[in-house]
Amino acid sequence: MALLHGDNRLSRGFIVVAVLWILAALSALVLIYLTFVTNTAVVVAASTERIKADLLATAGVELAAYQLTAVSPEGRPSSGTFNVRIGGALVAVTFRSEAARIDLNAAPKGLLAGLMVGLGVAPANAADYADRIVAWRTPGQGGEDDPETSSYRTAGLAYAPRHAPFPSAEELWLVRGIPPFVVERMLPFVTAFSNMASVNIADAAPQVLAALPGMSPERLQAVVAQRADPRLDRRALPGVAGGGAATLDASRAYRVAVATTFEGGRRSAAEAVILLLDEGDDPYRVLSWRNAADGSTAPQRTASR
């Protein structure tokens, strides 16, 4: 009998241990499930916020395009800004014609070199780098025997110059011989979309104005001061700048920056370049789009004109 009772106690001990192991396993499964649910909720929430940000950025671009296409090309502003509230979020929109930048595909060598000199590049080096940019966009001669193509091959590069227009300003990174720091400094002031050899001096940055032929520090100061005074006639600006590559004309391509502030204080930003279409069913076409949720502006997509 004592042996029987001992076997019963031993059996009950095994059962208790088994139950404890099962409970521990169930607890672990519950924790895993809760972690999965929590992570899924976080991912879904982040995805939802990103979708909202993208939709609001698209709305901002649409509203800018509407403002620009609602007037005739002759009366179209070259720049502007406005704010709008959409679904509790504040959307701030700024638009500016790409003519405020130097076009890599249309600008003459002197304008490109002038920009680089103003950004701290030695004049001799700036002239050489400008030659490389012009050679990149110029149709080649003789296929593989083209001197510029041969220079890329001699330099050990696995690609040749495009010998066609830049599809985007970022392709400047591929041009042989231009140091990275020069490209970094140039990118905020150049474009591949204005299709203009001249620069709109009403909206151009001072660094772009300084690149204009014949521009002196005194003229630059006068242009900046005059265009900031709403009482003065902007039509006199090209004369103040010395003429040449200075213009008040706007390109049909516009850069639209959209900054969104949500109710909780979270912010997002996007930047698009659009081409206004004066004919057809669509009012505009997107040439490039950048998202900048973390403050940077990495290219997202680019379309040809």
Side-chain angles (χ1 to χ4, degrees), residues 3 16 18 35 46 55 76 86 102 121 128 153-154 180 195 226 235 238 244 246 251 271-272 275 283 294 297 305:
L3 182 59
V16 171
T35 301
L55 291 175
R76 188 173 290 160
I86 304 176
I102 295 174
V121 179
D128 180 61
R153 190 164 54 245
T154 302
N195 199 31
Q226 184 161 332
R235 289 176 294 182
S251 166
E271 181 183 89
L275 179 68
D294 58 354
T297 52
R305 285 174 287 178

Side-chain angles (χ1 to χ4, degrees), residues 266-289:
R266 192 182 67 83
R267 298 180 179 182
S268 68
E271 181 183 89
V273 178
I274 61 174
L275 179 68
L276 301 180
L277 305 175
D278 297 324
E279 299 178 354
D281 297 331
D282 297 324
Y284 70 93
R285 181 165 73 243
V286 175
L287 301 178
S288 73
W289 187 285

